[in-house]
Amino acid sequence: MSVFSTDILKNMDAYVPGEQPQDKSYIKLNTNEFPFEPSDKVKAVVTSEKAADLRLYSDPTCAVLKKAIAENYGLKAENVFCGNGSDEVLALSFLSFCKKEDTVVFPDISYGFYPVFASFFGLDYKEIPLKEDFSIDENDYLSDCGTVYIANPNAPTGLTLSTEQIEKILINNKNHIVVIDEAYCDFSDCTAIGLIKKYNNLLVVRTFSKSYALAGARIGFALGDSEIIADLEKAKYSFNPYNLNRLSIEIGAAAISDREYFEKTVAIIKENRQALTDGLIKLGFTVLPSGSNFVFAKKDGEDGEQLYLKLKENGILVRHFSKERIKDYLRITVGTKEQNDALLNALGRIVK
C-alpha cells in the first residue's frame, strides 16, 4: 500500500479472480467459462467494418441490446439495464440500493465479490451461514434489515433455491431490494424472472459470460421494475455512460437472438455435467447436486489444495478455495467430453 491509499482500500480484501496462467497451455476448468465457441451469428458481427467503427463512441443507451434482451424475456426495454459484465451491474446495485444505515445480507459461502463490494462502499454487512448441507435457508433472509444478495444457483456450491423460496424472501423484504444473481441460471430449471412483474423490489442479475460463451466480451444485464432500472441508469451515467463497447452491444444482441445454438449447447453442458458427476462418484468423490456449469466435489481423506496442485501439475486447472469449511472441495467447470475425461483420468491416477 502507498502512503496515499485510503482507509477503505487498506482494510479491504480484494476479490481474487480465477487463474489465467501464461506459462503453458492448460485444460481450463477453473473459471466456469463456456467450452464452446460463440454462435455463428456472433462471429458474423465481428467484421473489419465494425472494427473500423470502434473509433466512434458506443450507444450509451445500449438500445439494440436492451431490445433483444427484453424480447427474449417478454419484458420492455425499460425493464433492462446493461453493464460491463454482471460485476459492474452488481457494483452499481450496491451503490444505488444499499443504505449506510442498513445491513447488507448474503450467504457466508457465495460469490466472493459480495463482501468486497460491501467493503468498497463502506457498508455494514452480515454473512449468513449456509445449512449443514450447504443449502440456503430462506427463513434466514426475512428480517427486512437491508439489501439481500443471493446467487441462484449459488457459487461455488451449485445449489439452487426454488421460485417459491425466493418469493417468500421478496414478500418479507418489502422495504428493501432483493438481488437474485442468476449468473448460472440457464443451466438450471429455476429463475426469478417470472416474478418481476409481481414484485417491484426484485432485481435479477444475469451475464453473457457463461451460457452465451462471451466471457471476454464483458456483457452483463439486470432485469427489474422500471423505477429501479432507472436508478441503475442514473448511477451508470454518473460513473461510466459508455460502459459497453460497440462490438459487445451488437454481439450480445446477436447471441441472445440465436436460440437454437443456445439451447443446443446448454443441453450438451447439462449432459456433460451428469457424466462428470457420475465419473467423480465412481472415483469416490462426494458431489453436490448442481444447477450450474460446474460441480463442487471432494473426496474423503484427500486434501483439496493438494488435489488442485496435482491436477495443475498434470496440466488441468480447477478452482480451490481456502475457506475452512470448503477447503477440501474443488469447483470444477463442466467442459467438453474430452476435457472432462482428461480430468477424470488424471484424478483416477492421483487418488489411486
Side-chain angles (χ1 to χ4, degrees):
M1 286 289 168
S2 75
V3 296
F4 307 105
S5 58
T6 64
D7 288 339
I8 287 179
L9 190 62
K10 290 176 181 176
N11 297 324
M12 184 169 58
D13 292 324
Y15 175 74
V16 180
E19 293 175 274
Q20 301 286 354
Q22 307 295 319
D23 58 328
K24 66 177 184 179
S25 178
Y26 289 90
I27 295 176
K28 282 188 81 278
L29 302 177
N30 66 323
T31 50
N32 301 337
E33 294 151 318
F34 211 54
F36 306 117
E37 294 183 354
S39 80
D40 288 341
K41 288 187 177 181
V42 168
K43 295 176 185 177
V45 171
V46 188
T47 64
S48 58
E49 291 81 4
K50 296 294 183 183
D53 286 341
L54 291 175
R55 63 189 174 83
L56 304 171
Y57 280 111
S58 58
D59 171 20
T61 71
C62 303
V64 170
L65 181 55
K66 279 189 178 183
K67 181 176 183 293
I69 293 171
E71 289 177 352
N72 188 67
Y73 295 108
L75 298 169
K76 298 179 180 179
E78 65 189 27
N79 300 119
V80 182
F81 175 80
C82 297
N84 194 279
S86 61
D87 290 336
E88 184 189 48
V89 178
L90 289 167
L92 292 177
S93 74
F94 271 83
L95 174 67
S96 302
F97 307 120
C98 299
K99 300 174 182 178
K100 295 286 186 181
E101 64 270 20
D102 292 338
T103 301
V104 187
V105 291
F106 42 79
D108 67 331
I109 298 174
S110 191
Y111 186 32
F113 242 135
Y114 301 154
V116 174
F117 285 143
S119 298
F120 190 87
F121 292 108
L123 301 164
D124 290 330
Y125 65 91
K126 180 181 180 182
E127 295 179 293
I128 299 177
L130 297 179
K131 293 164 64 177
E132 190 66 28
D133 63 358
F134 291 108
S135 64
I136 293 172
D137 187 343
E138 73 275 14
N139 295 307
D140 291 334
Y141 297 85
L142 309 182
S143 63
D144 204 13
C145 67
T147 308
V148 175
Y149 285 85
I150 291 178
N152 194 45
N154 194 20
T157 65
L159 299 176
T160 61
L161 286 175
S162 68
T163 304
E164 291 73 24
Q165 289 172 300
I166 292 171
E167 189 165 17
K168 184 177 180 180
I169 296 171
L170 287 163
I171 292 170
N172 287 277
N173 286 274
K174 293 182 178 179
N175 298 307
H176 294 92
I177 297 292
V178 175
V179 179
I180 305 298
D181 184 353
E182 293 190 346
Y184 302 100
C185 208
D186 287 328
F187 305 102
S188 74
D189 298 318
C190 181
T191 176
I193 291 176
L195 301 174
I196 288 173
K197 295 178 181 178
K198 191 175 179 181
Y199 298 97
N200 67 353
N201 62 327
L202 170 63
L203 185 70
V204 176
V205 177
R206 287 201 165 207
T207 180
F208 281 75
S209 295
K210 314 302 179 184
S211 52
Y212 289 100
L214 292 174
R218 311 309 302 132
I219 310 169
F221 62 100
L223 306 171
D225 182 80
S226 60
E227 290 191 2
I228 62 175
I229 294 300
D231 288 343
L232 289 173
E233 293 287 357
K234 182 177 181 180
K236 182 191 87 165
Y237 277 89
S238 303
F239 177 69
N240 184 20
Y242 303 103
N243 62 337
L244 279 180
N245 67 71
R246 296 176 67 92
L247 284 178
S248 289
I249 290 171
E250 292 201 37
I251 65 177
I256 206 167
S257 69
D258 195 344
R259 294 299 302 175
E260 181 179 359
Y261 185 78
F262 167 82
E263 291 171 1
K264 180 179 74 173
T265 51
V266 167
I268 295 172
I269 292 299
K270 289 181 178 180
E271 292 174 5
N272 290 358
R273 180 180 67 199
Q274 187 60 55
L276 176 60
T277 299
D278 293 342
L280 288 167
I281 291 173
K282 286 181 180 178
L283 290 173
F285 281 77
T286 298
V287 186
L288 299 188
S290 176
S292 60
N293 70 332
F294 60 83
V295 297
F296 203 50
K298 75 167 184 176
K299 183 173 171 62
D300 288 342
E302 296 285 347
D303 181 277
E305 184 177 15
Q306 289 303 309
L307 281 180
Y308 148 74
L309 290 172
K310 289 175 182 176
L311 282 170
K312 187 173 182 180
E313 290 174 3
N314 281 266
I316 301 172
L317 290 178
V318 296
R319 191 77 190 264
H320 174 259
F321 299 90
S322 59
K323 186 172 283 192
E324 180 63 28
R325 192 175 168 193
I326 58 172
K327 63 184 177 63
D328 286 332
Y329 280 83
L330 300 178
R331 192 194 70 188
I332 306 168
T333 304
V334 178
T336 63
K337 181 181 183 303
E338 294 74 20
Q339 290 174 326
N340 292 345
D341 287 346
L343 169 91
L344 292 170
N345 289 333
L347 277 176
R349 295 191 301 270
I350 292 167
V351 301
K352 184 176 181 180

